[in-house]
Amino acid sequence: MPAIATIATLTVGRNTSPNVSDTITFSVPGAPRGKARPSARAFMGKVQRFKDSKTVAYESLVRLAASEAMEGHDRIDDPVFVEIEVFIEPVASTTRSRYAQMIAGRIMPTKAPDLDNIIKSILDGCNGVVFRDDVLVMKISASKVYAARSRVDVKVSRIF
C-alpha cells in the first residue's frame, strides 16, 4: 500500500464556473481501483452478498483523503458538481519512446480500470464524508490520462 500523502484544501469563494462555490479538493494516492461487482454465495438457502476486499480498502483510502480535506468543515447537504481526474502510471515494461508518448498524451489509457467504475469507487468513498449521499451529485466531469505517478484528483463543488 502506498504512503498516504494527500493534498487537501478547502476553497471558499467564487469559482470560475458560474453558480459554483465552496470547493473541496483532495488527491487519492496510488493506483486507482474500479468498483468491483459484489460476490454472492448461497448459505443455508439464502443468498449472501459481500464486497471485494480490495474495493473496500480503496474506498477506505478515498474516505481518509476526503476526511482530511473536510477537517473542520461541515459535509455538503446541497447539490454538487464532482470533477475527477485519474492519473495512471504506465507499466514498467513500457519502452522509453512509448512512455514519452503516453506522458505527452499522444497515447490514451484505454485499459482497465474502467473510468465509470473508478467514479463509483470515488463517490462511494465520499458518501457521508464530503456530501450526505451521492444522490446529491448533479453533474460529473471525469478523465483518465497517463502520468509519472498514479493518483486520483477529486474536486467537489457546491451548486447553487
Side-chain angles (χ1 to χ4, degrees):
M1 171 147 315
I4 298 176
T6 58
I7 303 168
T9 59
L10 173 70
T11 307
V12 179
R14 283 322 245 173
N15 195 329
T16 55
S17 303
N19 301 324
V20 178
S21 68
D22 296 340
T23 301
I24 312 299
T25 59
F26 62 94
S27 289
V28 182
R33 176 103 180 133
K35 186 159 184 101
R37 291 196 171 111
S39 300
R41 70 175 180 187
F43 181 72
M44 295 180 61
K46 296 189 179 193
V47 176
Q48 294 179 328
R49 296 184 188 273
F50 50 95
K51 288 183 179 179
D52 173 47
S53 62
K54 291 179 182 178
T55 300
V56 171
Y58 187 72
E59 287 178 8
S60 295
L61 182 61
V62 172
R63 193 168 285 111
L64 177 63
S67 64
E68 287 178 4
M70 293 298 292
E71 198 163 304
H73 302 283
D74 295 330
R75 93 179 157 208
I76 300 170
D77 242 354
D78 299 313
V80 294
F81 171 41
V82 179
E83 297 173 77
I84 300 171
E85 195 164 6
V86 179
F87 298 93
I88 297 178
E89 190 174 340
V91 294
S93 61
T94 306
T95 64
R96 284 187 198 148
S97 62
R98 188 164 171 80
Y99 181 88
Q101 290 177 335
M102 290 172 156
I103 299 300
R106 290 190 288 275
I107 298 176
M108 299 293 181
T110 56
K111 301 201 169 153
D114 295 354
L115 187 57
D116 62 325
N117 291 331
I118 296 170
I119 292 169
K120 290 175 197 172
S121 289
I122 297 296
L123 293 181
D124 285 349
C126 290
N127 263 346
V129 178
V130 178
F131 40 78
R132 178 178 41 88
D133 189 57
D134 55 7
V135 72
L136 295 170
V137 177
M138 298 292 117
K139 185 176 180 183
I140 297 175
S141 173
S143 63
K144 184 168 75 165
V145 296
Y146 281 117
R149 294 264 183 224
S150 294
R151 73 180 190 282
V152 178
D153 290 347
V154 182
K155 183 176 173 182
V156 180
S157 304
R158 183 176 283 141
I159 301 173
F160 292 100

